[in-house]
Amino acid sequence: MMECIHISSVILAGASPFFQNLFSNDRLETGEQKETIITVDVSQKDALMELLNFIYGKKLPPTIVASIPSLFGILMVAHKYDVPSCVRYCTCL
Amino acid sequence: MSTQKKRNFKIEAFKHRVELDPKYAEKTWKILEHAIEEIYNHNASGLSFEELYRNAYNMVLHKYGEKLYSGLVTTMTSHLKNISREVELAQGGFFLEELNRKWEDHRKALQMIRDILMYMDRTFVPSAQKTPVNDLGLNLWRDNIVRSPKIQARLKNTLLELVERERTGEVINRGLMRNVIQMLKELGPNVYQEDFEKPFLDVSADFYRVESQKFIECCDCGEYMKKAERRLNEETERVSHYSAEASGGKIENVVEREMIANHMQRLVQMENSGLVNMLVDDKYDDLSRMYNLFNRVPGGLSAIKDVMTSYLRETGKQLVTDPEKSKDPVEFVQRLLDQKDKYDKIISLAFSNDKTFQNALNGSFEYFINLNPRSPEFISLFVDDKLRKGLKEVSEEDVEVVLDKVMMLFRYLQEKDVFEKYYKQHLAKRLLSGKSASDEAERSLIVKLKTECGYQFTSKLEGMFTDMRTSQDTMQGFYASQSSEMSEGQPSLVVQVLTTGSWPTQASTTCNLPPEIHGVCERFKAYYLGTHSGRRLSWQTSMGSADLKAVFGKGQKHELNVSTYQMCILMLFNSSDQMSYKEIEQATAIPAPDLKRCLQSLACVKGKNVLRKEPMSKDIMEDDDFFFNDRFTSKFFKVKIGTVAAQKESEPEKQETRQRVEEDRKPQIEAAIVRIMKSRRVLDHNNIVTEVTKQLQSRFLPNPVVIKKRIESLIEREFLERDKVDRKMYRYLA
């Protein structure tokens, strides 16, 4: 199951060292590749989408904030991909 | 890369849950191990960062962190061992290049590995207290490569050999050197210091010990300094090219120690080229170089200063004590000033105006100027010479410059009161004979003396100027009152009324004035005492001057400018053409030494001999006869007949002045003692002497014996008494 989204690499790279490495062209990825694939477990997909939203909007929707399991899932993903601003946000709510 | 371009970003859902089968960890590690190998083999382009990151993440997440970490250590170690072998195989000059290339590879690989294992670095490493991946990679490199038995010594020797080759003029690959040293630095300060810096400094010390020994045997001091300076600059430049700035100070210290500190004394005292020769020849560049180099080592400047001071004192002593050189006081002082100028210039140009050097210079001058007891007199004579005539053609600023320089010498004098005494005499002569070139310059010097020594010092000098001014007014008043009685042909009189005490004391020996003059003098006396009651006037005939109109044999007229004494003698020849010495002495009552001097200048100086003497000889004898010389000729209308007078004081005069000075010091010492005792009430002998010396040192250096005598005199006069128990203590009585 593939989902394709368009996103600014600069914004992601600014929020996380993981994304910075991921998008660095002269790294493991081959030069001109425009598609970057991230593989996650189905259970983590929604959390990852919320994380990406957070990186853009700097906050999470109230429905998520209200749900402990959702919040925990996002925290896991944020920790995995090293997005300190989101980790801080989740733990300080 | 960092433009805001949109990427296709795909999120792929995992179809299967992570199976936690026992082989999972092993399988995942194999993937990562393979990736690390590929990275070292420059084959990284086929790898997916995301996948490797995810695998490492999963291993850590599922508690296989330890396995991942130890696997990394093992894999990397074995790779480095391979690299080590390859480096060892490199031949000769390629060794360093190979090492550097492998280092670059390792660093790049390490960075990639670190990125992949970032999650482990962030979570597992701190909690398990392991070394972070990057540091781990550096440590493994250090232990397996740089400090491997077959490489460590070879690396050290290669580096040192390159340094040595560069020092002896070869061109080496500085970039390579720089990279390798950069590597050592990245491996930690400990590695840099032990594997490069320390051996580098040791070898350098040996090198410069040998080289400086060689240089000092064959170079003169200036040349040696140039070489040392060049070496220092080279080393500073070298460490910056090697990117080893951290060792800059240390290598400079090594060169300073080996090339300068160890040879300091020998350099300074080097025969024919050492410090003394540089000073003599004004070698500002060499001196400046020496100053800057010696300034870098402890005790360096004082080595220069000591030699300079002792040389200055030695030459200064010769200058002031050489009887040949103190013949002409003006030249004597000019030499001192030249010497001072010379060293001032050296200190400002070469010794960066160093205060300690200025102090040494001042100290030396003070030391040797006071070795010659006539220095105060000579300095005053120098001023006299400058203020008399010399300054007429120079501008005001230049006058100030000369006076400032004189003041500087004055400051070195210990016996300032002796200077004052002479200055007063010389000033009196200048003022009374109207020879003072510039009133302004005179005043300017007095202001300087005043700021230097206080009001007391100059009050009498200023009194002299006041007298001169008042006398002008008095003369105007006198002539206004006499206008009716004045007649043609009468001599005109100018009187300067001098206050006793302000002027140098003169034994009041009056001579017999010619009747024509005597009359006018009496009239002035009557006028003056009439306007100023209660005063006493006495005539100082030894200090005046006169203009005489004389007609000689063929009718030629001349105006003769003579002293009062000479005038008295010449007036006698109005009534007779021939007189004997005895007759003249009786008629004028001029003291014998002065009379002889006057006659000598009237009869024995060619071109000014208005009198003729028999027998003809240079000296005046008591049985000589004198004639009016009617064959006198001169191409000038005005003839100035000076008195043959020694400018410098003769030996007895000197003694006399000395005695007067000693006499004047007594009340000053007594006053100081009384001042001190009044405030301290009780004080022991030594302390009194110290305090008196301190109080008076701005004027003179009192002799302790004299102080003791003054204390005794004060005890006699019951100002003080001795303590009854402790005889060394004095008590103030009042």
Side-chain angles (χ1 to χ4, degrees):
Chain A
M1 188 168 94
M2 293 271 266
E3 196 162 320
C4 190
I5 53 173
H6 295 273
I7 201 158
S8 159
S9 62
V10 176
I11 289 180
L12 292 196
S16 144
F18 168 79
F19 286 115
Q20 202 182 348
N21 287 330
L22 187 66
F23 295 130
S24 299
N25 282 335
D26 57 346
R27 283 298 161 79
L28 312 184
E29 323 301 322
T30 44
E32 285 304 300
Q33 188 183 359
K34 291 271 173 152
E35 288 184 357
T36 306
I37 299 170
I38 283 192
T39 312
V40 290
D41 190 274
V42 169
S43 62
Q44 282 189 329
K45 189 203 140 203
D46 290 344
L48 178 56
M49 294 310 270
E50 286 304 335
L51 176 68
L52 296 178
N53 278 330
F54 175 84
I55 290 173
Y56 267 76
K58 293 291 164 209
K59 61 176 181 247
L60 296 170
T63 47
I64 301 283
V65 175
S67 146
I68 295 294
S70 312
L71 207 53
F72 184 74
I74 290 169
L75 185 57
M76 275 283 282
V77 177
H79 194 246
K80 177 177 177 182
Y81 296 120
D82 200 5
V83 186
S85 58
C86 184
V87 172
R88 228 176 5 257
Y89 184 86
C90 294
T91 49
C92 294
L93 273 174
Chain B
M1 163 191 114
S2 56
T3 48
Q4 277 279 34
K5 73 181 164 201
K6 296 277 176 179
R7 283 169 176 273
N8 281 324
F9 188 83
K10 287 184 179 165
I11 294 171
E12 193 179 8
F14 231 37
K15 283 165 189 118
H16 308 286
R17 277 199 142 280
V18 181
E19 319 113 84
L20 286 173
D21 71 83
K23 292 219 179 109
Y24 164 74
E26 197 51 45
K27 264 180 5 207
T28 317
W29 165 243
K30 281 293 169 222
I31 297 170
L32 288 168
E33 190 185 29
H34 174 72
I36 292 174
E37 257 159 52
E38 291 295 88
I39 289 172
Y40 272 109
N41 292 336
H42 305 281
N43 242 342
S45 54
L47 301 171
S48 155
F49 170 74
E50 193 272 339
E51 184 198 346
L52 296 171
Y53 183 89
R54 179 156 36 84
N55 283 326
Y57 169 78
N58 282 334
M59 273 186 87
V60 174
L61 197 67
H62 295 111
K63 310 280 181 232
Y64 292 110
E66 184 59 48
K67 183 177 175 61
L68 178 59
Y69 192 88
S70 61
L72 171 69
V73 172
T74 316
T75 312
M76 202 182 266
T77 307
S78 88
H79 268 284
L80 291 178
K81 288 219 185 299
N82 287 339
I83 291 176
S84 169
R85 272 189 292 279
E86 286 172 43
V87 172
E88 281 163 31
L89 285 177
Q91 294 298 309
F94 296 110
F95 166 71
L96 221 49
E97 277 178 38
E98 184 66 12
L99 178 69
N100 184 42
R101 194 159 44 237
K102 293 294 180 198
W103 162 248
E104 294 295 331
D105 290 349
H106 176 63
R107 262 213 337 205
K108 274 192 201 131
L110 187 59
Q111 204 175 357
M112 290 184 200
I113 295 167
R114 191 194 57 192
D115 288 347
I116 294 166
L117 302 181
M118 203 161 51
Y119 190 77
M120 178 185 81
D121 241 357
R122 232 171 352 111
T123 54
F124 171 76
V125 164
S127 64
Q129 294 181 325
K130 301 278 188 192
T131 315
V133 174
N134 193 51
D135 294 354
L136 175 74
L138 295 179
N139 289 349
L140 290 177
W141 176 267
R142 176 192 66 200
D143 298 338
N144 292 292
I145 313 280
V146 171
R147 285 189 171 169
S148 85
K150 286 191 181 156
I151 292 180
Q152 188 170 23
R154 190 171 168 197
L155 173 61
K156 184 185 86 180
N157 292 336
T158 310
L159 292 177
L160 294 181
E161 191 198 313
L162 283 175
V163 172
E164 164 99 21
R165 272 164 54 192
E166 197 183 33
R167 278 198 183 123
T168 51
E170 275 185 56
V171 177
I172 63 161
N173 184 347
R174 279 183 162 180
L176 182 59
M177 189 81 182
R178 180 193 178 93
N179 289 345
V180 172
I181 285 173
Q182 190 69 40
M183 171 189 83
L184 295 176
K185 270 160 64 181
E186 277 179 47
L187 296 179
N190 177 29
V191 178
Y192 172 74
Q193 278 161 16
E194 278 180 30
D195 290 75
F196 173 69
E197 185 179 69
K198 201 178 161 299
F200 168 65
L201 294 178
D202 289 347
V203 163
S204 304
D206 293 341
F207 178 85
Y208 284 115
R209 192 171 308 128
V210 173
E211 186 174 85
S212 66
Q213 199 57 45
K214 199 174 78 195
F215 285 166
I216 204 152
E217 298 298 343
C218 65
C219 300
D220 70 25
C221 182
E223 227 177 293
Y224 183 96
M225 290 288 158
K226 271 183 206 148
K227 287 188 196 287
E229 187 184 53
R230 193 164 57 234
R231 279 306 198 188
L232 257 176
N233 292 339
E234 274 174 19
E235 290 303 328
T236 314
E237 193 202 19
R238 190 182 335 280
V239 289
S240 97
H241 278 299
Y242 292 177
S243 144
E245 288 88 349
S247 309
K250 291 176 195 163
I251 185 66
E252 279 170 22
N253 280 339
V254 167
V255 183
E256 285 157 7
R257 188 182 64 232
E258 297 300 336
M259 294 204 84
I260 300 161
N262 287 350
H263 300 288
M264 218 153 59
Q265 291 303 329
R266 183 154 171 199
L267 283 170
V268 170
Q269 282 158 0
M270 205 176 260
E271 227 167 296
N272 299 325
S273 69
L275 177 63
V276 168
N277 293 75
M278 294 179 184
L279 291 173
V280 171
D281 299 337
D282 295 320
K283 297 214 160 146
Y284 301 119
D285 289 343
D286 285 345
L287 287 167
S288 164
R289 190 170 294 116
M290 183 181 260
Y291 177 87
N292 290 326
L293 289 175
F294 278 48
N295 195 13
R296 310 173 71 124
V297 301
L301 289 190
S302 62
I304 300 182
K305 204 179 61 198
D306 291 349
V307 170
M308 184 185 91
T309 307
S310 68
Y311 174 70
L312 259 175
R313 289 188 176 212
E314 197 44 50
T315 48
K317 192 173 167 184
Q318 279 169 17
L319 194 70
V320 300
T321 51
D322 183 351
E324 206 42 49
K325 286 186 173 147
S326 49
K327 259 190 181 157
D328 181 350
V330 177
E331 238 175 80
F332 174 90
V333 175
Q334 191 57 53
R335 260 193 216 103
L336 290 177
L337 289 177
D338 291 348
Q339 185 84 342
K340 181 73 168 51
D341 278 348
K342 175 187 167 82
Y343 283 93
D344 275 343
K345 203 168 167 200
I346 287 177
I347 288 176
S348 89
L349 286 179
F351 297 161
S352 70
N353 270 327
D354 192 314
K355 270 272 175 303
T356 57
F357 279 76
Q358 284 172 351
N359 290 343
L361 177 63
N362 289 337
S364 307
F365 265 82
E366 197 174 323
Y367 161 79
F368 65 70
I369 280 191
N370 289 298
L371 286 179
N372 187 337
R374 308 198 69 170
S375 292
E377 182 191 348
F378 288 175
I379 294 175
S380 175
L381 280 171
F382 180 81
V383 178
D384 189 56
D385 181 67
K386 293 295 167 210
L387 292 180
R388 242 170 217 272
K389 44 180 194 211
L391 299 178
K392 266 173 210 152
E393 63 275 13
V394 291
S395 68
E396 256 175 61
E397 291 93 59
D398 293 343
V399 177
E400 283 294 308
V401 170
V402 172
L403 294 184
D404 278 334
K405 284 183 177 169
V406 171
M407 283 309 294
M408 184 185 66
L409 292 182
F410 169 76
R411 257 171 241 138
Y412 297 136
L413 290 177
Q414 271 161 6
E415 299 187 303
K416 296 194 172 59
D417 58 342
V418 179
F419 173 84
E420 187 199 359
K421 194 119 266 146
Y422 283 110
Y423 190 75
K424 222 158 100 176
Q425 278 178 24
H426 298 144
L427 176 63
K429 273 190 202 149
R430 280 203 299 281
L431 290 178
L432 293 179
S433 59
K435 295 274 171 51
S436 176
S438 149
D439 215 36
E440 219 160 295
E442 293 279 5
R443 278 175 194 287
S444 155
L445 188 69
I446 286 183
V447 170
K448 287 185 208 301
L449 287 169
K450 197 170 176 175
T451 34
E452 198 66 31
C453 298
Y455 167 75
Q456 212 193 351
F457 197 88
T458 54
S459 62
K460 286 180 179 171
L461 301 177
E462 285 175 286
M464 289 161 77
F465 280 100
T466 319
D467 281 351
M468 295 302 289
R469 243 187 342 252
T470 324
S471 298
Q472 268 181 6
D473 299 344
T474 310
M475 285 324 290
Q476 274 174 11
F478 172 64
Y479 280 112
S481 73
Q482 303 287 311
S483 55
S484 54
E485 293 163 53
M486 295 302 271
S487 55
E488 281 290 311
Q490 258 197 339
S492 58
L493 180 73
V494 178
V495 181
Q496 269 123 18
V497 184
L498 315 180
T499 313
T500 318
S502 294
W503 296 73
T505 35
Q506 296 283 330
S508 62
T509 43
T510 336
C511 70
N512 296 336
L513 291 168
E516 299 92 326
I517 309 293
H518 191 70
V520 199
C521 286
E522 284 305 314
R523 282 219 297 283
F524 175 79
K525 198 167 178 176
Y527 164 78
Y528 186 78
L529 296 179
T531 49
H532 303 81
S533 60
R535 295 200 183 172
R536 220 157 52 85
L537 268 188
S538 61
W539 299 101
Q540 295 281 342
T541 46
S542 57
M543 295 164 106
S545 64
D547 290 328
L548 296 178
K549 283 180 183 136
V551 184
F552 290 91
K554 288 174 188 161
Q556 71 271 52
K557 287 180 182 172
H558 287 287
E559 197 175 293
L560 306 178
N561 176 260
V562 296
S563 74
T564 305
Y565 282 153
Q566 287 167 332
M567 180 267 291
C568 294
I569 297 166
L570 289 177
M571 292 294 272
L572 295 176
F573 288 87
N574 274 340
S575 44
S576 74
D577 281 347
Q578 178 194 352
M579 289 189 89
S580 70
Y581 176 86
K582 285 280 168 212
E583 285 171 320
I584 296 173
E585 190 179 24
Q586 257 178 11
T588 58
I590 298 170
D594 287 328
L595 179 60
K596 280 187 182 168
R597 242 189 254 167
C598 290
L599 286 170
Q600 201 175 14
S601 52
L602 286 171
C604 305
V605 182
K606 210 169 170 245
K608 301 189 172 172
N609 48 337
V610 289
L611 294 183
R612 199 154 52 77
K613 183 171 86 76
E614 270 179 20
M616 294 278 277
S617 66
K618 284 236 155 159
D619 294 307
I620 305 295
M621 295 297 160
E622 300 215 347
D623 46 8
D624 285 350
D625 282 319
F626 294 90
F627 302 88
F628 176 65
N629 180 11
D630 54 5
R631 268 172 300 182
F632 171 80
T633 53
S634 171
K635 48 184 172 176
F636 302 108
F637 173 66
K638 278 190 176 184
V639 180
K640 184 182 176 325
I641 300 175
T643 322
V644 182
Q647 238 207 336
K648 218 164 66 172
E649 278 198 319
S650 61
E651 207 47 41
E653 279 174 321
K654 203 176 87 189
Q655 293 298 334
E656 202 190 305
T657 311
R658 187 83 228 166
Q659 221 171 354
R660 274 213 306 277
V661 169
E662 292 297 342
E663 221 38 63
D664 283 356
R665 282 180 184 180
K666 284 180 187 169
Q668 293 186 48
I669 296 174
E670 284 181 2
I673 297 171
V674 170
R675 266 199 305 276
I676 291 159
M677 291 308 288
K678 205 166 177 176
S679 64
R680 305 290 284 267
R681 315 306 294 184
V682 182
L683 204 62
D684 66 296
H685 183 79
N686 288 345
N687 269 318
I688 294 187
V689 173
T690 324
E691 294 229 0
V692 168
T693 312
K694 212 166 82 193
Q695 275 205 5
L696 294 175
Q697 69 186 0
S698 69
R699 293 180 55 76
F700 60 92
L701 217 60
N703 184 340
V705 181
V706 178
I707 298 179
K708 187 157 184 274
K709 280 203 185 126
R710 289 301 98 208
I711 292 175
E712 277 157 12
S713 158
L714 285 170
I715 291 174
E716 254 168 53
R717 285 177 282 159
E718 298 186 335
F719 280 95
L720 308 175
E721 67 169 8
R722 279 183 199 277
D723 193 278
K724 297 201 172 47
V725 191
D726 185 353
R727 303 296 286 166
K728 272 197 165 328
M729 295 294 273
Y730 303 109
R731 201 178 294 284
Y732 181 67
L733 299 173

